[in-house]
Each structure stands twice: as C-alpha cells, then as structure tokens.
Amino acid sequence: MFQPQNLREDQVLPVEGRSGDLTCKSQRLMLQVGLIHPASSGCYHLLPYTVRAMEKLVRMIDQEMQAIGGQKVNMPSLSPAELWRASNRWDLMGRELLRLRDRHGKEYCLGPTHEEAITALVASQKTLSYKQLPFLLYQVTRKFRDEPRPRFGLLRGREFYMKDMYTFDSSPEAARQTYSLVCDAYGSLFDRLGLRCVKVQADVGSIGGTMSHEFQLPVEIGEDRFAVCTSCSFSANVETLGSSQMNCPACQGPLTETKGIEVGHTFYLGTKYSSIFNAQFINIHGKPSLAEMGCYGLGVTRILAAAIEVLSTEDCIRWPSLLAPYQVCLIPPKKGSKEEAAAELTGQLYDHISEAVPQLRGEILLDDRTHLTIGNRLKDANKFGYPFVIIAGKRALEDPAHFEVWCQNTSEVVFLTKEAVIELLSHVQVV
Amino acid sequence: MFQPQNLREDQVLPVEGRSGDLTCKSQRLMLQVGLIHPASSGCYHLLPYTVRAMEKLVRMIDQEMQAIGGQKVNMPSLSPAELWRASNRWDLMGRELLRLRDRHGKEYCLGPTHEEAITALVASQKTLSYKQLPFLLYQVTRKFRDEPRPRFGLLRGREFYMKDMYTFDSSPEAARQTYSLVCDAYGSLFDRLGLRCVKVQADVGSIGGTMSHEFQLPVEIGEDRFAVCTSCSFSANVETLGSSQMNCPACQGPLTETKGIEVGHTFYLGTKYSSIFNAQFINIHGKPSLAEMGCYGLGVTRILAAAIEVLSTEDCIRWPSLLAPYQVCLIPPKKGSKEEAAAELTGQLYDHISEAVPQLRGEILLDDRTHLTIGNRLKDANKFGYPFVIIAGKRALEDPAHFEVWCQNTSEVVFLTKEAVIELLSHVQVV
C-alpha cells in the first residue's frame, strides 16, 4: 500500500504557507495519514484511500442524480473565451479565472463552472420539443479557480472536483418543481452521509438568477456565516440580510448566527443564460420559447474534507460509514509473539468474510506489517477510521477462536467467534 | 434522453475544419448519433451514452490494474513549471504543452503526462524500504496536449482521458518483471474488449527510457505505421527501423507494413526520472538506492473511438459487447397501430428482465417514442448498436406472446417467448 504517513506534526505544514492559522483539523489529519499530499499551492495529490472514498461518494451522487432523471455528461476543461465574453463573465470573474492561450493564440479559461458551455450545447439542438423536457444534465469533473488564498486543504483549493448539474424546463413552474426535486436529492444525499446540513437562502453572486440556496454544514472553521430562526424554519446566509437585521424577516423571532462550510449550492437561473445563447424549445403552441434553467453544485472533494472535519476527533479520522475507504481492517498477531499461531486464522477469516459477505469483497484490508505489535497497528487503524477493526489476539487461541472487534461507529469493543463476526458484518451497507 | 441526433451528413462537419479529409468513420458516426458534440478545436463534449461506455471501460481498466497490484491516485492537472524544468521537458515539449500563469505569475502547464509529478511525490517519502516495493500507481484523468492539427474526433484531441501508470521497483530485474506484468494486463484488457492489438517495439520519444512498446490497433486510418514479420513474432513501429529495412532484424524474414492506431504505450524508464528527483529507497544492504521506473499509458477516450472505428459498419455503430452503453433496447408498438395492445407486454417484459437478470438492471432502454413506427425505431437502434433489440410486433399478440429479438453480435433475428428472452439474456456479461 502506497500510504505516506507523516505522523510528526512538523511534517504536515501546508505548502501554501508556514503560518499555523492556515491549517484546520481535516487538513492536518489528511496530511498525517497520507490521504492527500501537496502538489502546489491549493492543489493536492489524492492518494489511494481518498480516491476510494471519492469514488464511493461519486457513486452515491450518481444514484441520487439518476433517481431524479439526471443524465451524466462530461464537458472539456478548456472553455473558449467567446462563451464567457457572451455572458460578460470573462470580465466579471476577474482574477478567479485561470486563463491561457493555445498555439494559435486563441483564448480559453479553465472552467470553474459550465453554465455557458452547457447552454450553448443545448442551444445547438434545433428541434427540441417541450415534450422532451425537462433535461437534467450533470457531470463530475475537475474545476479550477484561482483562489487568492487557497487554504484548509481540500476545503478551498484551486483545483477540485465538483458535481455540477444544469436543468432545462419548459416553464417557470416546471423549473421550480425541478429545483425542489434537486434540493430534495441533495437532502437525501446528506442524510445518507449522516451530515446534518442546513439549507439556507443565499446570494446569487456571479452565477446570477433569481433564487438560490446553500447547503451549509455547521462547523466552527466554516468560512460562511448563516442565521437560523429559532421560532420558524427560516435560515439565510448573512450576506443576504442587512447588517442590522437581528430578527427573522418571516416571523420576527430571534436569529442565531452559525458558521458553516458550503457543501452545495443551487440556483434558479430563469432565462439568464438561455436568452444569451438562444436555448429554445418548441412549446405546446408550436412556438419557440426560451428554456427555464437551474444550476446545482456539490463540492465533491470539499464534502470529503468537510465530513472529516466534523466527524473526526483531534487525532483520529472518522468517515461517513458509506465513504470509509475500507470497511474492515484485520490485524494478525505480531511475528514471533505468543499469539503467532493465530496468524493463519486471520487469513482464513479474510477468506470467510469475502465468501459469506460478498458486498465486502475488496473492502477488507489485512494489515500485514507483522513486524509491528498489535497495539501499534491498532493505533494506526484507529487513526485511519476503519468502521471495523478485527484483531487476532490472545483469545484467538481459544477454542473456538474469539476475535477482538472494534466497532468505530458505536465505540464498542466485543469478542466474537468467526460466525458472530460474519453475522455482524453481514449488516454493513456499502455503496 | 438528451441524445442529439444529427442524421444528415451536412450537420456533422467537424469544427476543426470543413475539409472532408479530417473526418473518419468513428468521428462521423459518433457525431451523427450524438455520442459526442464539438466544444472547440480538438475538444468534445461527451454525451450520456459515451459517458456510460467510458465508465464501463474505466471499470475494466481498474479491474486489470488492481489485479496486478495497481493503486489508484489522482494528480492535479496544474503542473508547476519547476518540475518540468528539472527534467528539461519544459523546453523539450515545445508547443505541445499548454502553459499558463496564475495570479501571482507562477508558471504551470496542463499535464499531458505525469512522470515528473509522481516521481517527486514518491521522492518525498523518505523512509521507503525495498520491502515495500514495487509500487504501481495509476490514475484515470484528463490530459492536455496542444496538437498542431487535432483531428478524427476522440482519436486525436487536445483534451482527452488517459490511464497513466507509473511503477517503482527495487532492481532492473524486478522492473522488467513489472513491465511484463503490465503488458500482460494490457493484453488481457484488449482481449476482453475483442480488439486484436499488436504489441510492437517503439521509440521512446520525449518520455525517454531504454525500452518501449506500443499497442497498435490495425486500421486503415491509423496514423502510425508498423512492420510485422511474417516468419517470426517480431513487430516494430517503422520509426524504430531504418528506412531501407525490408527484412526482419531477428530472422531476416520479410516485413509487412500495416497502419494502426496507438491505443497503449509502455516505457521502461530505468532511473531517468528517479535520478532527477532523487526517488530513493533503502535497499537490502541498508543503503539508499534509486528506484527503477516504468510508465504505461492507455488512451481511454481514444480506445472508445478506435473500437468504434474498427467494429462499426459504414452506417451503424458497433461496440465491444462489454462497453455498449445499454445492453438491451425494447421497442413497444406504435401508438394507434394494430399491435398497440402489446404495449403493456413490453413494460412487463422490462420488469421481468430487471427482476430475473439483476446484472441487466440499468442496462435496458425502453424506446418510448411511440409516435414513430417500429421500423423507424429499429433503424435507430441498429445505428446505436445495442447488443440486443427486442420488438413487440405482430407476434407479440400471439398466445404465448413472441418477441422479435435482434442479436447484433451474431446478426441473428429470432422470435422468442418471454421465458426464452430471459434465458438468452441471462448469459449476457456486464462489467
């Protein structure tokens, strides 16, 4: 396993600066256990555990998006300047756009978002009928943003993975229905991840449109501030409220302010982009009509880091169960120890689990660094946050053998026979 | 389904030029049925069918790479100039590198390949032991190359998906063994895809190293030329042979020249990069030693287009079975036709297949454009290349109902009861 561990604090200073205030718990832990490695300011190598976790998250996002009719596409990162000039965002986005020229001098930016590209793509379809709508098109790709101060590891990088969906409807009513549908799918995703996000009213910013919400994960290091009404369901990013606003605009109840990490953002765009690129369809009366659009983002790499930020202890990573890179870590006895005779049992247990619990195939890691004590490897396993750590210790030599099972999510330690281990693991959900 | 169809020839001219010689069969067909859509010169939007096929191909690549111990990582596209200056490739790669500066004036290129980045990453691990090697690290990500003449759709684009693997071994012997292992895994992949690739000796080009092979798919529009000996197993890219070489250097037998598309490329690098970045490990004698490296590429989007190029007819796309975006297309009767009563049977068949053949869940498409005749939809289905097309026509009204089943890969048309359909489909392999 290529798993660089940097367990000494002084090895994990971020490349973006040497001042301590630019780090946070998730960044520190992810660097320590080798989930990420700095490549350049705001850019990280994702190492094998992170890739596994991210692929699980992407599968969950695919499930949620496809359940509401989402279709997956994949648009280039090189985005021609003329598209951005048409929407006036070539100037508006300023220094956040990474720009370049090709060998012929043609200008591009590296897409931070794809409203222009997708609208031009849909506009190129000249014979769309209202009967074919809605379209819900999404992709999970790298995005680029030249952050003035990249920080907090994957929470605010310059190159990151995002799921961006763009929807096309035949009427404002239909578009609002689609908007609700996508918001509900986001809610369902965060529920499955066990992350308590708050959906708050938000500013439309440079994207534009007439309605917007953010999905905020409450946490102290969050860079957003949002207000929640303690009397009704109102909540909003403080950017959308007057600075003197102390009471809920809906019920006049008191507002409480919280910090959060924005993990999702939705926009009802209306015809802002469809009018620029002429994305039309033939309506029920046989007349051309502009598509009503929405756009919807989820920060894929950001969700990984944000989840680690809120779930972990100061020293140990904890994952949403479904995203743990491996569900099970098996620890055989140390070479030359009294328990060494149980080494074979661990291998057998590995085979038994793989056979009896097919969904865990490929989810079980055998920590074969048998030159280390069980205690040292248990300490590592605890840091990595495997949901189940199974040790072949002293009691593995009993008849029948008993394995020591650490259940991270319930903080229980139990001694189980092989049969009981399999019964326990057969309930593990994987994605 | 967002599936732009451009079935008129004049709608599918490539953006890169209006002259006919820049197109090829796969590009024309992929544009016609809406698998890809031009974004800018050499850059394409991948539409839903292509994303499905590509995800299947990536799953197969993951299986093959992980079967030989490959671990998946993910490196940024923004690649700092200093890495490329260290290897002298900042100059050597010339105008093929897309270059840019960030807001602080720091220079980057968009990675066309990642020897520098991965070697610097492994070099940062200061305590590697020979016992931990080999490492086989790979990623499947977008790569960028500013081609002077992008052409042939996904076959030679400026932004494309590539699987790139980098291996680190503790001795030249071990590295050569790893090299064979990866070549065999490539062979296994192409076998499973049903693509007869030829492994030929190749030039090391700008990557460098001491040994290199290309995996060439023989096809007339291929831009590479390679020679095969008719008497022994020798084959080589003609670039590696003298221009006057007519006979096999191994057995003096006659050489036959063939055109091919390079779908894979392997390099034994030795210590070319590990010496530049000081990627060391502690050898069996306790001394630091330079890692022996290899690098190995597969053109992911290129394989999709190349497979379509060699398997398709002039008018109809054909896929490697495992990569077909959907395995089954169901065609219910036309609305208002004599057979309309069989419409319900098609829905039932859909449910039956999903239940009885679980691996086909999500692989069945119901063509519900029932305003079109069966014949028109069959024509489309034929163009799209679904391995199985199942029609509820006249004989669906018989008791028991008989469905018309077109098996694309054997060119058979048979009439089958529901039970026989399920028996047939239960043998379909999916990835």
Side-chain angles (χ1 to χ4, degrees):
Chain A
M1 182 67 71
F2 178 63
Q3 195 56 49
Q5 290 187 52
N6 302 292
L7 300 176
R8 277 177 34 216
E9 279 285 328
D10 59 359
Q11 292 176 329
V12 301
L13 283 171
V15 283
E16 46 257 31
R18 295 287 148 181
S19 76
D21 65 347
L22 291 184
T23 64
C24 61
K25 184 174 65 180
S26 59
Q27 181 182 16
R28 179 172 49 81
L29 288 172
M30 292 177 84
L31 286 165
Q32 279 184 351
V33 308
L35 296 181
I36 56 176
H37 189 87
S40 66
S41 175
C43 297
Y44 286 86
H45 298 300
L46 308 181
L47 298 178
Y49 274 54
T50 305
V51 171
R52 287 182 63 95
M54 186 168 85
E55 291 192 342
K56 291 177 182 191
L57 178 55
V58 171
R59 280 202 287 277
M60 290 178 73
I61 292 173
D62 283 340
Q63 288 165 359
E64 296 293 341
M65 295 301 106
Q66 290 171 19
I68 57 171
Q71 296 176 60
K72 203 169 184 179
V73 298
N74 194 313
M75 295 181 272
S77 289
L78 287 173
S79 198
E82 62 256 32
L83 287 178
W84 294 80
R85 292 215 168 89
S87 67
N88 203 31
R89 292 210 289 178
W90 187 255
D91 294 330
L92 195 65
M93 299 284 285
R95 301 177 75 183
E96 293 218 344
L97 281 189
L98 282 159
R99 298 159 204 250
L100 70 160
R101 287 173 185 272
D102 70 10
R103 63 162 74 214
H104 305 296
K106 198 167 141 55
E107 289 178 291
Y108 297 85
C109 70
L110 297 177
T113 175
H114 291 247
E115 285 78 14
E116 286 83 355
I118 195 87
T119 312
L121 170 61
V122 170
S124 73
Q125 306 310 305
K126 295 301 178 202
T127 56
L128 283 185
S129 153
Y130 71 97
K131 292 181 200 165
Q132 291 172 269
L133 301 183
F135 285 146
L136 292 79
L137 305 174
Y138 78 102
Q139 62 176 353
V140 179
T141 55
R142 281 197 195 153
K143 307 296 188 293
F144 300 84
R145 186 166 296 153
D146 200 354
E147 289 284 348
R149 279 176 75 225
R151 57 196 174 281
F152 298 153
L154 300 189
L155 288 176
R156 188 169 291 279
R158 301 199 298 168
E159 186 169 344
F160 49 91
Y161 275 86
M162 196 166 92
K163 187 282 304 179
D164 43 330
M165 180 182 255
Y166 306 90
T167 63
F168 297 82
D169 270 286
S170 60
S171 70
E173 298 70 43
R176 279 166 194 277
Q177 218 170 327
T178 298
Y179 188 92
S180 297
L181 208 60
V182 182
C183 286
D184 289 350
Y186 280 16
S188 162
L189 175 75
F190 292 121
D191 279 351
R192 289 171 70 197
L193 292 172
L195 300 175
R196 291 189 198 183
C197 290
V198 184
K199 181 184 163 192
V200 310
Q201 287 181 24
D203 194 61
V204 298
S206 68
I207 303 274
T210 57
M211 175 170 67
S212 178
H213 289 88
E214 289 163 355
F215 287 76
Q216 291 281 357
L217 188 61
V219 56
E220 194 47 41
I221 65 132
E223 302 189 85
D224 285 297
R225 290 183 304 132
F226 64 95
V228 177
C229 174
T230 49
S231 315
C232 73
S233 64
F234 178 87
S235 56
N237 191 307
V238 294
E239 289 171 6
T240 68
L241 302 173
S243 57
S244 59
Q245 186 122 25
M246 308 292 286
N247 292 314
C248 170
C251 76
Q252 305 307 317
L255 291 174
T256 318
E257 207 179 290
T258 309
K259 287 180 179 170
I261 299 171
E262 179 197 321
V263 285
H265 205 150
T266 60
F267 298 85
Y268 174 48
L269 298 171
T271 58
K272 175 177 171 182
Y273 294 92
S274 56
S275 61
I276 295 169
F277 296 99
N278 211 22
Q280 293 187 328
F281 65 95
I282 304 300
N283 68 20
I284 198 164
H285 307 297
K287 296 271 188 296
S289 186
L290 291 173
E292 292 281 331
M293 290 177 57
C295 78
Y296 310 86
L298 285 176
V300 175
T301 31
R302 182 181 283 183
I303 288 172
L304 290 180
I308 289 174
E309 185 71 34
V310 299
L311 299 176
S312 301
T313 68
E314 274 307 309
D315 299 315
C316 295
I317 286 182
R318 290 297 174 267
W319 302 88
S321 293
L322 288 169
L323 299 189
Y326 292 90
Q327 292 292 331
V328 182
C329 176
L330 297 186
I331 303 182
K334 188 183 173 189
K335 216 170 178 172
S337 69
K338 281 182 305 214
E339 297 84 19
E340 190 174 2
E344 208 184 314
L345 285 180
T346 328
Q348 287 169 4
L349 185 65
Y350 181 99
D351 294 338
H352 278 298
I353 301 172
S354 306
E355 197 172 314
V357 194
Q359 75 266 27
L360 290 185
R361 273 177 212 157
E363 291 290 331
I364 315 168
L365 196 90
L366 185 74
D367 188 342
D368 60 1
R369 298 174 301 161
T370 49
H371 59 287
L372 300 178
T373 63
I374 285 180
N376 272 328
R377 282 175 289 158
L378 176 60
K379 211 172 143 190
D380 281 357
N382 201 17
K383 241 184 190 326
F384 277 104
Y386 308 100
F388 298 92
V389 181
I390 304 179
I391 299 165
K394 271 178 218 152
R395 294 193 55 191
L397 298 174
E398 292 176 7
D399 185 17
H402 279 74
F403 297 94
E404 186 178 340
V405 182
W406 292 63
C407 309
Q408 294 295 10
N409 296 327
T410 58
S411 303
E412 277 180 311
V413 183
V414 287
F415 285 87
L416 300 177
T417 61
K418 186 184 78 183
E419 289 73 22
V421 166
I422 287 182
E423 159 63 18
L424 175 73
L425 296 181
S426 66
H427 301 290
V428 175
Q429 286 191 7
V430 294
V431 66
Chain B
M1 185 66 68
F2 178 63
Q3 195 55 47
Q5 290 188 53
N6 302 293
L7 301 176
R8 278 173 39 213
E9 280 283 330
D10 59 359
Q11 293 176 329
V12 301
L13 282 172
V15 283
E16 44 258 35
R18 296 286 148 183
S19 78
D21 64 348
L22 291 182
T23 63
C24 61
K25 184 173 67 179
S26 59
Q27 180 180 19
R28 178 172 50 80
L29 287 172
M30 291 179 84
L31 286 165
Q32 279 184 351
V33 308
L35 295 182
I36 56 175
H37 189 88
S40 66
S41 175
C43 298
Y44 285 87
H45 298 299
L46 307 181
L47 298 178
Y49 274 53
T50 304
V51 172
R52 287 181 64 94
M54 185 167 84
E55 291 192 342
K56 291 177 183 191
L57 178 55
V58 171
R59 278 201 288 277
M60 291 176 73
I61 292 173
D62 283 340
Q63 288 165 359
E64 296 294 341
M65 295 302 107
Q66 289 170 20
I68 56 171
Q71 297 177 57
K72 203 170 185 180
V73 298
N74 194 313
M75 293 181 273
S77 290
L78 287 173
S79 199
E82 63 258 31
L83 287 179
W84 295 79
R85 291 215 170 91
S87 68
N88 202 30
R89 292 210 291 179
W90 187 255
D91 293 330
L92 195 65
M93 299 284 286
R95 299 177 75 183
E96 293 216 345
L97 281 189
L98 282 159
R99 297 160 204 249
L100 71 159
R101 287 173 184 270
D102 70 9
R103 63 163 74 214
H104 305 297
K106 198 170 141 55
E107 288 178 293
Y108 297 85
C109 70
L110 297 177
T113 174
H114 290 248
E115 285 79 14
E116 286 83 354
I118 196 87
T119 313
L121 171 60
V122 170
S124 73
Q125 306 310 306
K126 294 302 175 199
T127 56
L128 283 185
S129 154
Y130 72 97
K131 293 182 199 164
Q132 291 171 272
L133 301 182
F135 285 145
L136 293 78
L137 304 175
Y138 78 101
Q139 60 175 354
V140 179
T141 55
R142 281 194 195 154
K143 306 297 188 292
F144 299 83
R145 187 167 295 154
D146 200 354
E147 288 284 348
R149 278 176 75 225
R151 56 197 175 282
F152 299 152
L154 300 190
L155 287 177
R156 189 170 289 280
R158 301 198 299 166
E159 187 170 344
F160 50 91
Y161 276 85
M162 195 166 95
K163 187 282 305 176
D164 43 332
M165 181 182 256
Y166 307 90
T167 63
F168 297 82
D169 269 285
S170 60
S171 71
E173 299 70 41
R176 279 168 195 277
Q177 216 171 329
T178 298
Y179 188 93
S180 298
L181 208 60
V182 181
C183 286
D184 289 351
Y186 281 15
S188 162
L189 175 76
F190 292 122
D191 279 351
R192 289 171 69 195
L193 292 172
L195 299 176
R196 290 188 200 187
C197 290
V198 184
K199 180 183 162 192
V200 310
Q201 286 181 23
D203 194 62
V204 297
S206 67
I207 304 273
T210 56
M211 174 170 69
S212 177
H213 289 90
E214 289 164 354
F215 287 76
Q216 292 280 356
L217 188 61
V219 55
E220 194 46 43
I221 64 134
E223 301 187 86
D224 285 296
R225 292 183 304 133
F226 63 94
V228 177
C229 174
T230 49
S231 316
C232 72
S233 64
F234 177 87
S235 54
N237 192 306
V238 293
E239 289 171 5
T240 66
L241 301 174
S243 57
S244 59
Q245 184 122 25
M246 307 293 284
N247 292 315
C248 172
C251 75
Q252 305 306 318
L255 290 173
T256 318
E257 205 179 293
T258 309
K259 288 182 179 168
I261 298 171
E262 178 198 322
V263 286
H265 205 149
T266 59
F267 299 85
Y268 174 46
L269 298 172
T271 58
K272 175 177 171 181
Y273 294 91
S274 56
S275 61
I276 296 170
F277 295 100
N278 210 22
Q280 295 186 328
F281 65 96
I282 304 300
N283 68 20
I284 197 164
H285 308 297
K287 296 269 187 298
S289 185
L290 291 174
E292 292 283 328
M293 291 178 56
C295 78
Y296 310 86
L298 285 175
V300 175
T301 32
R302 182 182 281 182
I303 289 173
L304 289 179
I308 289 174
E309 186 72 33
V310 298
L311 299 176
S312 303
T313 69
E314 274 306 309
D315 299 317
C316 295
I317 287 182
R318 290 297 174 267
W319 301 88
S321 294
L322 287 170
L323 299 189
Y326 293 90
Q327 292 292 332
V328 182
C329 175
L330 297 185
I331 302 182
K334 187 183 174 190
K335 215 170 180 171
S337 70
K338 280 184 303 218
E339 297 82 18
E340 190 174 0
E344 210 183 314
L345 284 180
T346 328
Q348 286 168 5
L349 185 64
Y350 181 98
D351 294 338
H352 278 298
I353 301 172
S354 306
E355 198 171 317
V357 195
Q359 74 265 30
L360 290 184
R361 275 177 209 155
E363 291 291 329
I364 315 166
L365 197 90
L366 185 75
D367 188 344
D368 60 0
R369 299 173 301 160
T370 50
H371 60 286
L372 300 177
T373 63
I374 285 180
N376 271 326
R377 282 175 290 159
L378 176 59
K379 211 171 143 190
D380 281 356
N382 202 17
K383 239 184 190 326
F384 276 103
Y386 307 98
F388 298 93
V389 181
I390 304 179
I391 300 165
K394 271 179 215 148
R395 293 193 53 192
L397 298 173
E398 291 177 6
D399 186 16
H402 278 74
F403 298 93
E404 186 178 340
V405 181
W406 292 62
C407 308
Q408 293 295 10
N409 297 327
T410 59
S411 303
E412 280 180 310
V413 182
V414 287
F415 285 88
L416 299 176
T417 62
K418 183 184 80 183
E419 289 73 22
V421 166
I422 287 182
E423 159 62 17
L424 176 73
L425 296 181
S426 66
H427 302 289
V428 175
Q429 285 191 8
V430 293
V431 67

